[in-house]
Amino acid sequence: MAVDYAVIVVYLAGMLAVGWWGMRRARSKSEFLVAGRRLGPWMYSGTMAAIVLGGASTIGGVGLGYQYGLSGAWMVFTIGLGLLALSVFFSARIARLKVYTVSEMLDLRYGGRAGIISGVVMWAYTLMLAVTSTIAYATIFDVLFDVNRTVAIVLGGAIVVAYSTLGGMWSITLTDMVQFVVKTIGVLLLLLPIAVVKAGGFSEMKAQLPTEYFDPLGIGGETIFTYVLIYTFGMLIGQDIWQRVFTARSDRTARWGGTVAGTYCLVYAIAGAVIGTAAKVMYPNLASADAAFATIVKDELPVGVRGLVLAAALAAVMSTSSGALIACATVANNDIWSRLRGAVVSGGGGGEPHDEVKGNRAFILIMGIAVILIAIALNDVVEALTVAYNLLVGGLLVPILGGLLWRRGTAAGALAAVCVGGVAVIGLMAYYGILANQPIYYGLLSSLAVYVVVSLATPPTDAAVLAAWRERLAGRESSPSGV
């Protein structure tokens, strides 16, 4: 394992070095939080693909392939579909708003103060997303170094917190590009063909496994529908995703770069399912489906290649973890703390004083420490991730898409939808169970009903607010701070 260890150590050292280099570029709030809004198509596509394809998409995607066969691709496939929908239909308009957070978009659209409540919901989502990504370090470092769970979480989490705190979005963007390349080589170009060959090829896989393993809908229609509601719609409204859209230097970059990233996700989804299916042939009696990735890597790959593929898994976890962390800190600082102390931060941001960078850097450090501590205390990744996405979609999907698509929506309707949808989801999870499908179904329906009824029952949004909103959407009006 010495060569594999060397590969991992070099990779981790490289992440810290890139974080230190990124610190020199993060001279303003805009540079620190959204990389100066000047990423080109290549960097934008790579970083967008890196953030959405995390440990759940890699280790979990292979696990679903092990359990269900090719239909196990649906979870990651719906993530790709959501990214495609965001890129084609909404990304250009989102990028033109020149804001930092989803809550700022809601304030611009509705002319009200629903932002702080939506900020709390978004903060809870990004916090839990960062926690679930951080927990995944335990699996990878256990395979690598045979260390206990707490040490693994502290080690992986500390590296991500370090480079994210140093350089903000610039460091995260640069590390994500490295991670994107490592994942592509490690998973698509190495692990996928090796796994298929070791399993005896597709003909042997079909001979060894039940036919339902090759049924595209074998995982079940209701499960696929739930994935669409949670992950496809979640991609449309998450702060971690929108913050990457804000980094695009143009509408065209946001649209076409995101489309490339979404297509890449579809390929990655199928690859993970195929790897998991091959692992089922080789190891038919694993105690846990999620152990399929680590088992096939540890037992079947040659020295050096094994280190690179484990680095790919580590890259997948780190990219999602760092993206969720900066999103969590941005929301905590700009949408919650700044509003509570009476200094509402408006969209945009050129020429900000350097102390704003220090403030955001401090929040990343604080949120990072909190994430590590919660990850150590929490055991169930799936439940934590389900809570995060149920809150996000149940509470924020309707007011966000309603604001983009329905002119008659009002601030009162948006606020009611956030509150009712969020409370309904929490109550229904307590009643039916966290992993049940009913909370997201009924929570989303209640949010929609309240949004429509309250919006129609209250006065329309002020014409001046709507006019200013349309100007921002069209890109004809700069943000107040000039970016």
Side-chain angles (χ1 to χ4, degrees), residues 156-458:
I159 292 171
V160 169
V161 171
Y163 72 69
S164 300
T165 302
L166 286 173
M169 186 59 81
W170 267 122
S171 291
I172 292 170
T173 296
L174 296 170
T175 53
D176 276 357
M177 280 305 301
V178 176
Q179 290 157 357
F180 171 73
V181 172
V182 171
K183 279 192 289 190
T184 300
I185 296 173
V187 175
L188 297 185
L189 301 184
L190 292 176
L191 183 57
L192 174 61
I194 290 173
V196 172
V197 170
K198 292 281 187 177
F202 286 105
S203 59
E204 182 66 17
M205 291 162 62
K206 288 184 177 181
Q208 292 287 333
L209 296 173
T211 55
E212 55 263 28
Y213 264 71
F214 302 92
D215 180 359
L217 303 179
I219 199 170
E222 184 178 356
T223 299
I224 296 171
F225 180 66
T226 302
Y227 284 159
V228 170
L229 281 184
I230 294 177
Y231 297 115
T232 301
F233 286 128
M235 287 297 106
L236 298 179
I237 59 175
Q239 169 68 25
D240 52 325
I241 309 302
W242 277 41
Q243 199 156 344
R244 296 308 174 98
V245 176
F246 300 153
T247 65
R249 72 183 179 198
S250 67
D251 299 354
R252 183 179 178 84
T253 296
R255 183 181 294 111
W256 293 109
T259 300
V260 170
T263 304
Y264 179 90
C265 292
L266 303 184
V267 175
Y268 201 88
I270 296 171
V274 171
I275 293 168
T277 305
K280 184 67 175 179
V281 174
M282 291 181 278
Y283 309 98
N285 299 310
L286 290 178
S288 169
D290 284 341
F293 180 90
T295 302
I296 195 172
V297 169
K298 186 166 61 174
D299 294 348
E300 301 297 335
L301 298 185
V303 173
V305 173
R306 179 171 49 207
L308 182 59
V309 173
L310 286 172
L314 194 57
V317 175
M318 283 187 162
S319 57
T320 300
S321 180
S322 59
L325 177 59
I326 193 172
C328 177
T330 302
V331 171
N333 188 18
N334 292 273
D335 291 337
I336 300 175
W337 172 246
S338 292
R339 294 168 191 262
L340 289 177
R341 62 186 172 85
V344 178
V345 179
S346 61
E352 302 88 345
H354 190 66
D355 60 0
E356 289 212 37
V357 175
K358 292 180 181 178
N360 282 289
R361 185 173 282 137
F363 265 87
I364 291 179
L365 180 60
I366 294 168
M367 290 297 106
I369 294 171
V371 164
I372 292 172
L373 294 176
I374 295 171
I376 292 171
L378 200 63
N379 287 315
D380 199 317
V381 178
V382 175
E383 288 194 356
L385 194 61
T386 301
V387 170
Y389 272 98
N390 280 355
L391 275 174
L392 174 70
V393 175
L396 292 178
L397 178 68
V398 170
I400 291 172
L401 292 189
L404 290 169
L405 300 174
W406 190 39
R407 180 176 178 177
R408 187 60 180 81
T410 65
L415 184 59
V418 173
C419 294
V420 170
V423 170
V425 162
I426 293 171
L428 290 167
M429 283 192 293
Y431 181 77
Y432 287 105
I434 289 176
L435 299 181
N437 292 328
Q438 289 90 339
I440 190 62
Y441 294 165
Y442 300 143
L444 196 54
L445 287 174
S446 64
S447 178
L448 177 60
V450 168
Y451 179 71
V452 173
V453 170
V454 174
S455 291
L456 292 176
T458 52

Side-chain angles (χ1 to χ4, degrees), residues 8 12 137-147 152 155-156 314:
I8 298 297
L12 294 177
Y137 294 126
T139 300
I140 299 171
F141 280 102
D142 178 57
V143 175
L144 286 173
F145 305 120
D146 193 27
V147 297
L155 177 59
L314 194 57

